Amino acid sequence: NAGVTQTPKFRILKIGQSMTLQCTQDMNHNYMYWYRQDPGMGLKLIYYSVGAGITDKGEVPNGYNVSRSTTEDFPLRLELAAPSQTSVYFCASSLGGSHYNEQFFGPGTRLTVL
Amino acid sequence: GENVEQHPSTLSVQEGDSAVIKCTYSDSASNYFPWYKQELGKGPQLIIDIRSNVGEKKDQRIAVTLNKTAKHFSLHITETQPEDSAVYFCAADGSSNTGKLIFGQGTTLQVKP
């Protein structure tokens, strides 16, 4: 298993541009998550999904959108990029259910908005 | 909602010494408390977790303790080694059943050879 994969690894955007961060997992996990990690701030949940076709907001959803058309993929869309969205983005997945909480993380995407 | 506070933000120890990282949480309904280790340039990886029906759990050199009454839990690393140097995050699951985790701010552990 490749686990959770994310593309791209690095990206520089200009203010106002848009992009999609890709996330794929091959573990047949039901639950998937997007986090952003700012220096000294830990991980903040942006959006999450408990299954294909179901998504919901996390702590910091403004400026982002997600979709979950398949079990494997959970892309994160940035519209009208702003400098405040400069961060490292992590995708994670878990099997789901009260006894399968372990989240498996991807390697991250480092995004800079100039 | 759940809030998790983690201390200290940085910790430096000599190789062979013990390291302790502490977290407090606010939602008494939380019942799952994982600890993640993040090495430079990588995603976090689970190293140990504990559920609310257990007070302590050990795995070789690492252990986690949970005090539900006081709403705090701690990570203990004994006989530290240079490869233990990393950022450590605690988390709690809050009262939702969606698997969401609320993370602490992280502790940068440096183990000096």
Side-chain angles (χ1 to χ4, degrees), chain A residues 35 43 103, chain B residues 2 4 6 23-25 30-36 49-50 73 88-94 100-105:
Chain A
Y35 295 91
L43 294 147
Q103 292 189 17
Chain B
E2 176 66 280
V4 177
Q6 182 173 347
C23 288
T24 60
Y25 62 98
S30 289
N31 58 33
Y32 176 66
F33 307 92
W35 286 90
Y36 283 82
D49 56 15
I50 192 168
F73 57 112
Y88 292 81
F89 292 97
C90 63
D93 66 342
K100 291 191 296 182
L101 296 175
I102 307 302
F103 284 84
Q105 298 90 333

Side-chain angles (χ1 to χ4, degrees), chain B residues 7-109:
Chain B
H7 299 281
S9 56
T10 60
L11 180 60
S12 181
V13 301
Q14 287 296 134
E15 182 177 358
D17 287 350
S18 295
V20 180
I21 303 170
K22 298 182 179 182
C23 288
T24 60
Y25 62 98
S26 60
D27 190 341
S28 57
S30 289
N31 58 33
Y32 176 66
F33 307 92
W35 286 90
Y36 283 82
K37 176 183 181 182
Q38 185 179 27
E39 296 177 343
L40 198 61
K42 297 184 178 180
Q45 186 171 13
L46 180 75
I47 56 171
I48 195 167
D49 56 15
I50 192 168
R51 295 186 186 275
S52 58
N53 58 345
V54 175
E56 184 176 3
K57 184 176 178 181
K58 288 183 180 179
D59 183 3
Q60 298 183 341
R61 294 187 297 109
I62 61 173
V64 57
T65 58
L66 171 65
N67 183 327
K68 282 219 72 177
T69 303
K71 289 190 281 188
H72 66 71
F73 57 112
S74 300
L75 177 71
H76 303 253
I77 306 174
T78 59
E79 301 173 21
T80 53
Q81 301 168 4
E83 52 265 38
D84 293 328
S85 295
V87 180
Y88 292 81
F89 292 97
C90 63
D93 66 342
S95 52
S96 78
N97 61 357
T98 59
K100 291 191 296 182
L101 296 175
I102 307 302
F103 284 84
Q105 298 90 333
T107 296
T108 301
L109 173 65

Side-chain angles (χ1 to χ4, degrees), chain A residues 58-114:
Chain A
E59 300 172 79
V60 290
N62 291 345
Y64 307 95
N65 277 301
V66 293
S67 59
R68 183 98 182 269
S69 57
T70 67
T71 299
E72 295 78 19
D73 301 306
F74 190 40
L76 177 71
R77 178 79 177 165
L78 278 72
E79 304 282 2
L80 299 175
S84 61
Q85 293 178 305
T86 294
S87 190
V88 181
Y89 291 84
F90 289 100
C91 178
S93 71
S94 68
L95 187 57
S98 59
H99 291 285
Y100 300 98
N101 309 76
E102 179 182 357
Q103 292 189 17
F104 295 81
F105 283 80
T109 294
R110 183 175 295 274
L111 175 67
T112 302
V113 182
L114 300 174

